[in-house]
Amino acid sequence: MAVILNRYYNLKLSLSFLYSSGLGLLLLTLFTAPLAAREGDTLASTTVVVESSEVSEPTQNFLEVGRGEMDWLWFSLYKAKLMTLTGRYQQGQYPLLLDIEYYRDIAAEDLLQATREQWQHLQFSADDIKRWQSLLTATWPDVKPGDHLSFKVIDEQTSQFFFNQQPLGVMHDANFAAAFLAIWLSKDTSRPSLRAQLLGEKSCDC
């Protein structure tokens, strides 16, 4: 009887040590990890938009070319990063990604208006602008501080938006990607300083 009691108390002390030292939590994590992984796989499979190989993290495998901030009067509106697979930019070479992190609340309607004005500045045709605007109207959300709106050009005819790393609409338009990137990367952009930062020609402490 005494031997049984001693074994019982030794087992109780061992369990107490495991939980007090954090090992118990580790063991619990190890036992439940496979279940969590299976649940995660199920969730990820429901967010695929383009194809089964597309991931919800748009910046995976991309290297930064440059970054810069967009200022208006005394305010900083957003920070933009240009990324490619090599960390170098060459016009017409894909895939690439433009990631924008917003500093302020901006309604989708205001984003659309600003985009339309930039396309008008670059002298795109009214018919093209109207067609592209209809694509964006069905895609873009309102943004708030800390939100990311990313634009990934997959190939010459296919591009996709992501909102906080979650896939949005796919654009099957051969001219859309080049026109959208031109807002920042064209030599005729209204923000040449930001262009230089994105291309890595000018540094930004941001």
Side-chain angles (χ1 to χ4, degrees), residues 19 24-25 34 45 53 55 71 87 89 96-97 168 174 176 183 186:
Y19 281 99
L25 181 60
S45 66
S53 62
V55 295
D71 299 322
Y89 170 75
L96 63 77
L97 184 131
L168 295 178
F176 177 81
I183 295 174
S186 169

mmCIF file of all heavy atoms in Angstrom, residues 19 24-25 34 45 53 55 71 87 89 96-97 168 174 176 183 186:
data_model
loop_
_atom_site.group_PDB
_atom_site.id
_atom_site.type_symbol
_atom_site.label_atom_id
_atom_site.label_comp_id
_atom_site.label_asym_id
_atom_site.label_seq_id
_atom_site.Cartn_x
_atom_site.Cartn_y
_atom_site.Cartn_z
ATOM 1 N N TYR A 19 3.700 21.264 -15.784
ATOM 2 C CA TYR A 19 2.861 22.426 -16.072
ATOM 3 C C TYR A 19 3.468 23.701 -15.539
ATOM 4 O O TYR A 19 3.387 24.759 -16.157
ATOM 5 C CB TYR A 19 1.454 22.214 -15.499
ATOM 6 C CG TYR A 19 0.629 21.308 -16.381
ATOM 7 C CD1 TYR A 19 0.489 19.958 -16.076
ATOM 8 C CD2 TYR A 19 0.033 21.794 -17.540
ATOM 9 C CE1 TYR A 19 -0.246 19.124 -16.901
ATOM 10 C CE2 TYR A 19 -0.710 20.962 -18.364
ATOM 11 C CZ TYR A 19 -0.840 19.625 -18.038
ATOM 12 O OH TYR A 19 -1.573 18.816 -18.855
ATOM 13 N N GLY A 24 4.291 21.323 -19.964
ATOM 14 C CA GLY A 24 2.949 20.824 -20.197
ATOM 15 C C GLY A 24 2.287 21.546 -21.354
ATOM 16 O O GLY A 24 1.630 20.942 -22.188
ATOM 17 N N LEU A 25 2.484 22.874 -21.424
ATOM 18 C CA LEU A 25 1.923 23.657 -22.521
ATOM 19 C C LEU A 25 2.541 23.255 -23.842
ATOM 20 O O LEU A 25 1.880 23.183 -24.867
ATOM 21 C CB LEU A 25 2.156 25.146 -22.250
ATOM 22 C CG LEU A 25 1.611 26.110 -23.301
ATOM 23 C CD1 LEU A 25 0.100 25.945 -23.428
ATOM 24 C CD2 LEU A 25 1.963 27.540 -22.923
ATOM 25 N N PRO A 34 -1.134 19.116 -35.142
ATOM 26 C CA PRO A 34 -1.633 18.511 -36.378
ATOM 27 C C PRO A 34 -3.071 18.880 -36.680
ATOM 28 O O PRO A 34 -3.429 19.106 -37.823
ATOM 29 C CB PRO A 34 -1.487 16.997 -36.104
ATOM 30 C CG PRO A 34 -0.395 16.906 -35.081
ATOM 31 C CD PRO A 34 -0.587 18.122 -34.208
ATOM 32 N N SER A 45 -7.633 26.740 -48.365
ATOM 33 C CA SER A 45 -8.159 26.273 -49.640
ATOM 34 C C SER A 45 -9.387 27.053 -50.073
ATOM 35 O O SER A 45 -9.726 27.061 -51.239
ATOM 36 C CB SER A 45 -8.502 24.783 -49.541
ATOM 37 O OG SER A 45 -9.570 24.590 -48.628
ATOM 38 N N SER A 53 -2.286 26.900 -56.793
ATOM 39 C CA SER A 53 -0.929 27.190 -56.342
ATOM 40 C C SER A 53 -0.775 28.606 -55.805
ATOM 41 O O SER A 53 0.255 28.952 -55.249
ATOM 42 C CB SER A 53 0.065 26.993 -57.499
ATOM 43 O OG SER A 53 -0.225 27.887 -58.547
ATOM 44 N N VAL A 55 -0.967 31.673 -53.313
ATOM 45 C CA VAL A 55 -0.964 31.756 -51.858
ATOM 46 C C VAL A 55 -1.558 33.072 -51.427
ATOM 47 O O VAL A 55 -1.601 34.036 -52.171
ATOM 48 C CB VAL A 55 0.476 31.614 -51.291
ATOM 49 C CG1 VAL A 55 1.031 30.242 -51.566
ATOM 50 C CG2 VAL A 55 1.392 32.683 -51.874
ATOM 51 N N ASP A 71 3.015 61.972 -49.903
ATOM 52 C CA ASP A 71 2.615 63.091 -49.057
ATOM 53 C C ASP A 71 1.649 63.999 -49.801
ATOM 54 O O ASP A 71 1.750 64.172 -51.025
ATOM 55 C CB ASP A 71 3.844 63.901 -48.620
ATOM 56 C CG ASP A 71 4.825 63.079 -47.803
ATOM 57 O OD1 ASP A 71 4.369 62.253 -47.000
ATOM 58 O OD2 ASP A 71 6.041 63.258 -47.992
ATOM 59 N N GLY A 87 14.683 41.710 -56.915
ATOM 60 C CA GLY A 87 15.021 42.944 -56.214
ATOM 61 C C GLY A 87 15.431 44.054 -57.165
ATOM 62 O O GLY A 87 15.861 45.119 -56.729
ATOM 63 N N TYR A 89 14.106 46.191 -60.860
ATOM 64 C CA TYR A 89 12.935 46.445 -61.700
ATOM 65 C C TYR A 89 13.340 46.612 -63.151
ATOM 66 O O TYR A 89 14.297 47.309 -63.475
ATOM 67 C CB TYR A 89 12.206 47.711 -61.248
ATOM 68 C CG TYR A 89 11.134 48.153 -62.209
ATOM 69 C CD1 TYR A 89 9.925 47.479 -62.286
ATOM 70 C CD2 TYR A 89 11.344 49.252 -63.062
ATOM 71 C CE1 TYR A 89 8.941 47.872 -63.190
ATOM 72 C CE2 TYR A 89 10.357 49.648 -63.957
ATOM 73 C CZ TYR A 89 9.160 48.957 -64.019
ATOM 74 O OH TYR A 89 8.196 49.352 -64.906
ATOM 75 N N LEU A 96 5.669 40.988 -60.557
ATOM 76 C CA LEU A 96 6.112 42.036 -59.637
ATOM 77 C C LEU A 96 4.936 42.410 -58.740
ATOM 78 O O LEU A 96 3.798 42.028 -58.996
ATOM 79 C CB LEU A 96 6.666 43.251 -60.376
ATOM 80 C CG LEU A 96 5.766 44.081 -61.306
ATOM 81 C CD1 LEU A 96 4.834 44.998 -60.533
ATOM 82 C CD2 LEU A 96 6.627 44.928 -62.231
ATOM 83 N N LEU A 97 5.242 43.152 -57.698
ATOM 84 C CA LEU A 97 4.201 43.497 -56.736
ATOM 85 C C LEU A 97 4.406 44.910 -56.214
ATOM 86 O O LEU A 97 5.529 45.314 -55.909
ATOM 87 C CB LEU A 97 4.204 42.506 -55.570
ATOM 88 C CG LEU A 97 3.088 42.719 -54.547
ATOM 89 C CD1 LEU A 97 2.382 41.408 -54.242
ATOM 90 C CD2 LEU A 97 3.630 43.311 -53.262
ATOM 91 N N LEU A 168 -8.299 39.508 -53.734
ATOM 92 C CA LEU A 168 -9.480 40.203 -54.241
ATOM 93 C C LEU A 168 -9.651 39.825 -55.718
ATOM 94 O O LEU A 168 -9.283 38.743 -56.119
ATOM 95 C CB LEU A 168 -9.324 41.719 -54.067
ATOM 96 C CG LEU A 168 -9.249 42.244 -52.633
ATOM 97 C CD1 LEU A 168 -9.040 43.747 -52.629
ATOM 98 C CD2 LEU A 168 -10.491 41.875 -51.830
ATOM 99 N N ALA A 174 -5.100 43.007 -70.754
ATOM 100 C CA ALA A 174 -3.702 43.115 -71.162
ATOM 101 C C ALA A 174 -3.106 44.487 -70.895
ATOM 102 O O ALA A 174 -1.887 44.620 -70.749
ATOM 103 C CB ALA A 174 -3.579 42.775 -72.646
ATOM 104 N N PHE A 176 -4.345 46.756 -68.423
ATOM 105 C CA PHE A 176 -4.637 47.304 -67.108
ATOM 106 C C PHE A 176 -3.387 47.393 -66.235
ATOM 107 O O PHE A 176 -3.137 48.421 -65.590
ATOM 108 C CB PHE A 176 -5.701 46.481 -66.394
ATOM 109 C CG PHE A 176 -5.988 46.967 -64.996
ATOM 110 C CD1 PHE A 176 -6.842 48.044 -64.774
ATOM 111 C CD2 PHE A 176 -5.377 46.375 -63.893
ATOM 112 C CE1 PHE A 176 -7.084 48.510 -63.498
ATOM 113 C CE2 PHE A 176 -5.609 46.829 -62.615
ATOM 114 C CZ PHE A 176 -6.468 47.900 -62.410
ATOM 115 N N ILE A 183 0.966 54.918 -62.929
ATOM 116 C CA ILE A 183 0.654 55.987 -61.972
ATOM 117 C C ILE A 183 1.877 56.306 -61.122
ATOM 118 O O ILE A 183 2.147 57.468 -60.806
ATOM 119 C CB ILE A 183 -0.540 55.582 -61.091
ATOM 120 C CG1 ILE A 183 -1.797 55.454 -61.946
ATOM 121 C CG2 ILE A 183 -0.747 56.567 -59.952
ATOM 122 C CD1 ILE A 183 -3.001 54.907 -61.197
ATOM 123 N N SER A 186 5.698 55.561 -64.351
ATOM 124 C CA SER A 186 5.901 56.257 -65.620
ATOM 125 C C SER A 186 6.824 57.465 -65.436
ATOM 126 O O SER A 186 6.824 58.120 -64.388
ATOM 127 C CB SER A 186 4.552 56.737 -66.175
ATOM 128 O OG SER A 186 4.748 57.618 -67.271
#
